Amino acid sequence: MNDRVLYDYWRSSASYRVRIALAIKGLDYTAKPVDLRSGAQSGVGFTMLNPQGLVPLLIDGDVAINQSLAIIEWLEETHPEPSLLPGDATARARIRAAALTIVADVHPINNLRVLKYLKSELGQEQEAIDTWGRHWIELGLSALEEIAEGSPGPFLFGAQVTLADVCLVPQMYNARRLQADVARFPKLGNIDKRLNGLKAFQQARPERQPGADQ
């Protein structure tokens, strides 16, 4: 039995990032779905493992790590090839900055628990909530489009898939799901299409995960 276990939710973009990274690194794992819609992440069983009550959570032997970027950076340090943070210190900082544009600036305010709060506690209509989501997604993608325009291609930072690409694909998936105007970002669209043609990205697709809506 594989002692590497990933607690995730099929449509969680944070979990999606980790699945991509694991696939790129060629690391097998056992998936344990946590249904966010039913509130399973708040159950005693899961919060004993991760007091924050969020996915993803990676357990590898006696190591347990939460937060998607922390997991991916740990994978990078423990399984360095192929590298998701190539180049010198400056190049790696730029890759991290692009990834954080999504992970720190866009994703948190479009997280399911935030959107639920807007509706249940603040009484916002679904149309307003969707407008909120699209605004912040499109703002973040605008910055990344500029990076893409300066890339020699075929990916965000050249010929090698990086942490930034791992974060981009799940965010583009979310953008389309919320009907954001992704046509405004043709360079990102092309990069996303190339990335989704790679085996590791295909394996990590939400619809291919246990518990996914059919």
Side-chain angles (χ1 to χ4, degrees):
M1 182 176 177
N2 198 321
D3 62 357
R4 186 180 298 113
V5 176
L6 179 66
Y7 290 83
D8 76 347
Y9 174 61
W10 66 279
R11 210 162 61 185
S12 158
S13 59
S15 297
Y16 193 173
R17 296 171 203 139
V18 174
R19 294 195 301 265
I20 294 169
L22 285 164
I24 288 172
K25 301 287 186 181
L27 300 174
D28 294 329
Y29 63 92
T30 299
K32 291 202 173 181
V34 178
D35 190 348
L36 302 187
R37 291 171 298 186
S38 70
Q41 71 277 19
S42 300
V44 174
F46 185 66
T47 55
M48 287 179 66
L49 296 172
N50 180 12
Q52 196 176 18
L54 298 174
V55 294
L57 172 70
L58 181 70
I59 297 180
D60 195 337
D62 59 357
V63 174
I65 306 173
N66 64 322
Q67 290 292 343
S68 63
L69 241 59
I71 294 170
I72 296 170
E73 293 243 17
W74 182 79
L75 292 172
E76 181 73 3
E77 292 185 22
T78 56
H79 301 84
E81 296 298 333
S83 177
L84 293 172
L85 286 165
D88 60 16
T90 301
R92 294 194 298 273
R94 287 174 176 157
I95 292 167
R96 286 187 175 99
L100 285 165
T101 298
I102 293 168
V103 176
D105 296 339
V106 177
H107 172 251
I109 51 179
N110 282 281
N111 191 281
L112 180 61
R113 61 178 180 163
V114 172
L115 301 182
K116 281 185 174 180
Y117 187 85
L118 288 172
K119 189 167 190 175
S120 62
E121 300 299 324
L122 300 183
Q124 297 299 308
E125 298 293 332
Q126 190 61 49
E127 183 179 354
I129 294 170
D130 291 344
T131 299
W132 159 284
R134 288 190 291 268
H135 169 78
W136 295 113
I137 287 172
E138 291 174 13
L139 190 64
L141 293 182
S142 293
L144 293 174
E145 180 75 2
E146 290 190 30
I147 293 173
E149 287 173 353
S151 172
F155 308 124
L156 266 176
F157 286 89
Q160 185 169 344
V161 174
T162 69
L163 176 63
D165 298 299
V166 169
C167 295
L168 173 65
V169 166
Q171 190 57 65
M172 292 292 283
Y173 172 85
N174 273 354
R176 293 188 180 96
R177 190 165 62 85
L178 288 176
Q179 299 183 320
D181 185 8
V182 294
R184 290 175 50 198
F185 315 109
K187 296 290 185 181
L188 292 180
N190 288 335
I191 290 172
D192 179 62
K193 183 176 181 180
R194 292 186 200 106
L195 290 165
N196 275 301
L198 301 178
K199 184 178 179 181
F201 287 80
Q202 292 171 357
Q203 289 175 347
R205 290 283 301 175
E207 64 271 15
R208 299 186 67 174
Q209 307 313 307
D213 291 344
Q214 301 300 321

